């Protein structure tokens, strides 16, 4: 809920906010966006554009690995 609260504070000052995550945190980012869109529907927030991709990162053992990424736009309606 800390991420939800933080996002709502940002949305009070901005027309849209992007929630970005990679790897195992993607599920948490989706949950935050869904909670805001569903629980604050009457307040006028919705999910906008969603981008998915991957990044190449070097692991501790020196190998290059691809990590999934997501970027979710949460915006004020109107």
């Amino acid at each position: 809920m800390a991420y939800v609260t933080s996002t709502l504070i940002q949305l009070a000052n901005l027309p849209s906010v992007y929630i970005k995550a990679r790897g195992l945190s993607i599920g948490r980012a989706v949950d935050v966006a869904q909670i805001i869109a569903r629980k604050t529907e009457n307040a006028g927030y919705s999910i906008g554009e969603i981008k998915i991709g991957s990044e190449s990162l070097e692991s501790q053992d020196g190998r290059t690995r691809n990590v999934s990424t997501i970027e979710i736009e949460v915006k004020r309606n109107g």
Side-chain angles (χ1 to χ4, degrees):
M1 286 305 286
Y3 291 115
V4 173
T5 304
S6 180
T7 304
L8 287 172
I9 290 169
Q10 292 295 317
L11 282 168
N13 300 317
L14 301 169
S16 67
V17 172
Y18 288 91
I19 300 170
K20 299 179 183 182
R22 63 181 183 197
L24 298 175
S25 298
I26 289 175
R28 185 175 300 146
V30 172
D31 289 344
V32 169
Q34 287 294 316
I35 289 169
I36 292 170
R38 288 187 181 157
K39 301 287 185 188
T40 62
E41 211 169 4
N42 297 334
Y45 298 118
S46 64
I47 295 173
E49 191 175 341
I50 299 171
K51 297 178 186 175
I52 57 172
S54 63
E55 293 179 1
S56 294
L57 297 177
E58 188 174 319
S59 62
Q60 291 179 345
D61 61 2
R63 288 193 238 163
T64 302
R65 46 183 276 216
N66 291 327
V67 178
S68 298
T69 62
I70 192 166
E71 186 175 320
I72 306 167
E73 178 187 24
V74 179
K75 61 183 180 177
R76 252 187 276 161
N77 296 332

